[in-house]
Amino acid sequence: SMLFSSLTLSSPQGGLSLANRIVIAPMCQYMSHDGEANDWHLAHWTSLLNSGAGLLTIEATGVTETGRITHGCLGLWDDRTEKALGDVLQRARKLAPPVPVCIQLAHAGRKASSAVPWQGGQLVRLDQGGWQPMGPSALPQLPTEAPPTEMTAADLVSVRDAFVAAALRSHRIGIDAIDLHAAHGYL
């Protein structure tokens, strides 16, 4: 089977060699505190790095604090979240064979400020501890939810720059590849 054969992903900067074609998809854990990776991630990532897969993809990671899906989502928007993610990833890698790691960078747009799935997944209002989401228009995700703030040209530049900054942070902490999340209505 080709599934267990090696694969090299090519890029202008070189290639990324995978021992096999099994790629662990990004799976939101909703277990971060203030966007920081923690011991939950250490246990989760260590287990996945020891699974025999050719590539681990870290869950959707917010490029801004208000771009997270939920309060429990992982982030990579400042030095604090970069240090936490980098430290936990380094610890997990010490407990596993060498496996390339990818990170999924995301901005949830109008779907930001949602409750975790097991609490309904709906928009968390400002008076309940949520934040104001923004989107390409003022159309809400659901008709029962408040509308997001319609993005301006300056907002577009700010989000673009946040993706660039998070990509640079990813590189600094030794992440091997980046997956840009652009599905499900996210930015």
Side-chain angles (χ1 to χ4, degrees):
S1 169
M2 294 293 291
L3 181 62
F4 299 106
S5 64
S6 62
L7 175 70
T8 298
L9 304 173
S10 298
S11 77
Q13 292 75 32
L16 180 61
S17 295
L18 309 184
N20 59 60
R21 296 163 189 240
I22 300 171
V23 175
I24 299 171
M27 298 172 276
C28 289
Q29 297 299 296
Y30 309 106
M31 296 301 292
S32 295
H33 302 285
D34 297 321
E36 293 183 12
N38 55 52
D39 285 346
W40 170 270
H41 297 93
L42 174 63
H44 181 63
W45 296 343
T46 300
S47 174
L48 295 175
L49 288 168
N50 279 294
S51 71
L55 178 72
L56 163 63
T57 308
I58 293 173
E59 67 194 88
T61 303
V63 298
T64 68
E65 185 172 14
T66 58
R68 293 175 294 163
I69 306 162
T70 74
H71 279 97
C73 289
L74 194 61
L76 192 54
W77 62 77
D78 61 11
D79 292 345
R80 177 184 54 80
T81 54
E82 177 183 350
K83 180 176 181 353
L85 202 155
D87 289 350
V88 172
L89 182 58
Q90 296 282 338
R91 290 168 56 206
R93 281 181 153 166
K94 287 179 182 175
L95 300 170
V99 175
V101 174
C102 179
I103 189 168
Q104 184 179 71
L105 298 179
H107 189 298
R110 72 182 73 226
K111 288 185 166 183
S113 189
S114 293
V116 293
W118 56 90
Q119 293 176 346
Q122 304 303 307
L123 182 72
V124 177
R125 298 187 335 236
L126 297 173
D127 63 349
Q128 295 176 333
W131 57 89
Q132 180 62 35
M134 63 178 172
S137 71
L139 295 174
Q141 173 63 26
L142 297 172
T144 57
E145 294 180 344
T149 299
E150 184 172 337
M151 295 176 73
T152 65
D155 292 330
L156 292 172
V157 170
S158 178
V159 168
R160 178 202 64 198
D161 292 350
F163 272 95
V164 170
L168 293 170
R169 289 179 186 284
S170 298
H171 178 71
R172 278 197 300 266
I173 61 176
I175 290 177
D176 304 292
I178 294 172
D179 171 355
L180 297 179
H181 195 326
H184 313 306
Y186 297 164
L187 300 180

